[in-house]
Amino acid sequence: MKDVQQQVQDAIDGLVASGAELGLQVAVYRRGELVVDAVAGTADAATGRPVTQDTPFHVTSTGKGAASAVVHVLTERGALSYDTPIVELWPEFGAHGKQGATVRHALTHSTGVPALPVDTTPEDLIDWHKMCATIAGAVPWWEPGAKTGYHPQSYGYIVGEIVRRVTGTPISQVLRQEVAAPLGVADELYFGVPSAELGRVARLADPAGGAMEMTPEMMAAMAEQVPFFRVVDGWTAAPPAAMPTAAFCNRPDVLTADIPAGGVMTARAIARVYAALMDEVDGVRLVSPDRLREITTAAVTGVDEVIGFPATRGLGYDIGFSGPLDAPTRFGMAGSGGTAAYADTASGVVTALAKTTVSPGDYTAYHQISALIAKALTPR
């Protein structure tokens, strides 16, 4: 185990030294035990503050894995079922023909509400009740359950409001009480960061050259190639003012708000959540083996109506992750900036990576580390 820790440390030190990355955090669990907890580089380029094992990072959609885990813990306890109609918990959601949508549809990005108004701003996203009312009143792009299409931001509000309606408590508090605290990572796993903890959070940086600014003309051009950017009756999956650039992710009002399509967490914390879905971690297991099988079995497959590529999804997680180690036993979520956390039910290995540089769609670092881990931990 010391050997694999050193191999990962050498790899991420190399990525930082080469200039490919500014700061990195990697955690690996195997069969419920932490075997790698490595960091390199800086968490804030302006001050030189180093990355430490307990530095929380904004990880965009990698945080969806934690939101899904909350639903599974509540389901395990009988508070709801995957086939519960959302309208039984949240009656307003049934507007415009969405009354057939279930919790299962929410977890598989199948409710038909992947978009938000094209003029949505960060200020809108931090207003929980406004966003939930907007989504509840949306006209679906397809009949719930008929198709799957990635719900970039709406996923968090739909799942989060389901949790709030079931428990009477915001999902950030349920995450803390039912997942983070039992696992001993209550100060490393957040949807809304307490204001007093903001000084610990990594300050993200855009890649060299800065973030791409999305104009309406650029969106229109890109929409011809990628459905993600299309605008339908004033709604889009990619509102230009609310794209997750470094500036967006560093905003204090965003970091302290419940926006559970993303999250703020350490690699160690999100890896620990996945480890506790698969195995017992220091006496804590989040779900039963039977539920784990249900969660990680392919529930929907087909061309994603928003991304435009084939997708396979379990309940709250993508199944497989394109790259050198793609396998149907892998489940997890990747973030738009190059972060990721995936577990493999065959090997019992979880690998999570958080990073300072926002690298849209670039998972080179994660694939490199995952390949190293697989080689080091595969029995010879």
Side-chain angles (χ1 to χ4, degrees):
M1 294 302 104
K2 290 182 180 179
D3 182 53
V4 68
Q5 168 78 23
Q6 190 59 54
Q7 289 181 54
V8 172
Q9 188 65 60
D10 290 345
I12 62 176
D13 284 343
L15 286 166
V16 171
S18 72
E21 296 290 347
L22 182 61
L24 289 163
Q25 196 180 56
V26 174
V28 179
Y29 274 80
R30 184 172 70 168
R31 299 297 180 197
E33 294 187 8
L34 181 66
V35 297
V36 174
D37 193 7
V39 299
T42 58
D44 185 338
T47 65
R49 174 164 55 96
V51 178
T52 65
Q53 281 89 347
D54 63 355
T55 301
F57 285 76
H58 193 294
V59 295
T60 60
S61 291
T62 299
K64 288 183 173 72
S68 302
V70 171
V71 176
H72 297 315
V73 168
L74 294 177
T75 306
E76 183 81 5
R77 296 183 180 181
L80 73 163
S81 80
Y82 300 128
D83 294 316
T84 299
I86 296 174
V87 292
E88 287 189 7
L89 310 169
W90 180 8
E92 300 90 335
F93 190 81
H96 302 295
K98 301 193 299 296
Q99 65 274 8
T102 65
V103 174
R104 186 182 303 275
H105 294 148
L107 291 169
T108 56
H109 298 258
S110 302
T111 65
V113 191
L116 300 176
V118 71
D119 59 355
T120 297
T121 65
E123 289 79 9
D124 293 326
L125 293 179
I126 66 177
D127 186 334
W128 184 265
H129 296 292
K130 178 178 182 178
M131 293 308 303
C132 288
T134 297
I135 291 166
V139 176
W141 281 9
W142 60 82
E143 180 183 351
K147 302 176 182 179
T148 186
Y150 189 56
H151 289 40
Q153 288 286 10
S154 59
Y155 182 91
Y157 297 105
I158 296 170
V159 168
E161 186 66 0
I162 288 169
V163 169
R164 192 182 76 85
R165 296 284 177 132
V166 168
T167 64
T169 305
I171 190 172
S172 54
Q173 293 183 34
V174 181
L175 174 72
R176 183 179 182 87
Q177 295 164 4
E178 304 295 341
V179 177
L183 289 174
V185 290
D187 59 348
E188 297 182 31
L189 183 63
Y190 305 107
F191 290 133
V193 179
S195 296
E197 302 297 324
L198 284 174
R200 296 172 47 224
V201 177
R203 186 162 185 82
L204 305 190
D206 289 313
M212 180 185 295
E213 290 190 22
M214 292 295 296
T215 65
E217 293 75 20
M218 291 173 63
M219 281 189 64
M222 294 180 73
E224 294 182 7
Q225 303 295 326
V226 185
F228 186 83
F229 295 100
R230 68 184 172 184
V231 178
V232 178
D233 296 328
W235 290 61
T236 179
M243 295 295 283
T245 61
F248 172 89
C249 296
N250 289 334
R251 289 176 57 135
D253 55 354
V254 168
L255 291 169
T256 55
D258 268 8
I259 307 178
V264 183
M265 56 198 65
T266 64
R268 179 172 59 191
I270 189 62
R272 194 167 174 85
V273 171
Y274 280 96
L277 288 171
M278 294 196 298
D279 296 284
E280 190 173 287
V281 179
D282 293 333
V284 177
R285 180 160 186 171
L286 295 178
V287 299
S288 68
D290 285 345
R291 189 164 306 282
L292 175 68
R293 281 190 289 273
E294 184 174 10
I295 291 168
T296 58
T297 297
V300 297
T301 59
V303 175
D304 186 293
E305 292 291 312
V306 174
I307 304 298
F309 292 101
T312 300
R313 296 192 167 104
L315 300 184
Y317 304 98
D318 286 344
I319 304 298
F321 184 32
S322 60
L325 299 175
D326 192 17
T329 54
R330 297 184 84 194
F331 73 103
M333 289 299 301
S336 59
T339 64
Y342 275 78
D344 190 328
T345 56
S347 65
V349 172
V350 183
T351 303
L353 180 145
K355 59 205 292 288
T356 307
T357 303
V358 177
S359 308
D362 183 355
Y363 301 101
T364 302
Y366 186 79
H367 288 318
Q368 179 179 333
I369 299 302
S370 295
L372 186 160
I373 293 298
K375 183 176 181 181
L377 298 184
T378 298
R380 293 176 175 82

